[in-house]
Each structure stands twice: as structure tokens, then as C-alpha cells.
Amino acid sequence: RAGKLRPLSAFYTSPGFANEKLYMYVAEDLVKGDSRPDEDEFLAVEAITFEQAQQYIREERISDAKTILAVYAWHIYRLTGEIRL
């Protein structure tokens, strides 16, 4: 559970093709809690550091565009402390 959520960034998944816009958030003050996924939803939650996220990208354990973009937005946030929407 997040004690605080702040918007980090947003992007269109396929401009010119679809109008789907995804939003990324910074979750702070995290506390372990129970999940309540939908009946047909299966989630594996793992807390990782920024350095681990970068390694996972290199190893292709993280290979989808939206998650890679989220890691780079996290990197910018770590460097500047700024939220970019």
C-alpha cells in the first residue's frame, strides 16, 4: 500500500492509431498489504531498487515499452526531483 501517490508522467501508447493514454505515478511510504486481484488476474509483486530495474532491462526480464518508459521516468525523477506531465 502506498501512503502517498504522486503523478509522475503520462504518455500515449500508439499516437495516430489509438487515443489510449497511460499515467505513471510515484508511490511513496510503502507498506506491505494484501492484494485483491480480479478472479482472472494473476499478479506477482516484487519490490526492486532502481539499479535492479536497470539490470532487469539489460537482462530483458523487463522488456515491455511501458515499463521501460516508467524506469526512465523514474531515473529523471531521481536526477531532478521534478514531475513531468
Side-chain angles (χ1 to χ4, degrees):
R1 301 195 189 280
K4 183 167 44 169
L5 279 177
R6 293 189 302 145
L8 177 61
S9 190
F11 65 97
Y12 288 97
T13 58
S14 299
F17 175 76
N19 64 355
E20 179 183 31
K21 189 173 188 179
L22 298 183
Y23 297 86
M24 296 180 281
Y25 296 85
V26 174
E28 299 174 317
D29 305 324
L30 301 176
V31 178
K32 278 189 176 184
D34 296 324
S35 64
R36 292 184 216 113
D38 291 340
E39 187 177 303
D40 61 346
E41 186 177 33
F42 302 97
L43 300 173
V45 178
E46 180 182 349
I48 62 173
T49 65
F50 176 73
E51 290 74 18
Q52 286 172 304
Q54 289 181 311
Q55 182 65 35
Y56 285 8
I57 291 170
R58 286 190 293 275
E59 295 170 354
E60 297 183 0
R61 290 177 64 182
I62 294 176
S63 59
D64 64 290
K66 68 182 176 311
T67 306
I68 292 170
L69 182 59
V71 172
Y72 285 112
W74 184 13
H75 182 61
I76 292 168
Y77 175 71
R78 287 169 42 106
L79 290 174
T80 67
E82 294 180 15
I83 303 292
R84 305 205 178 221
L85 282 177

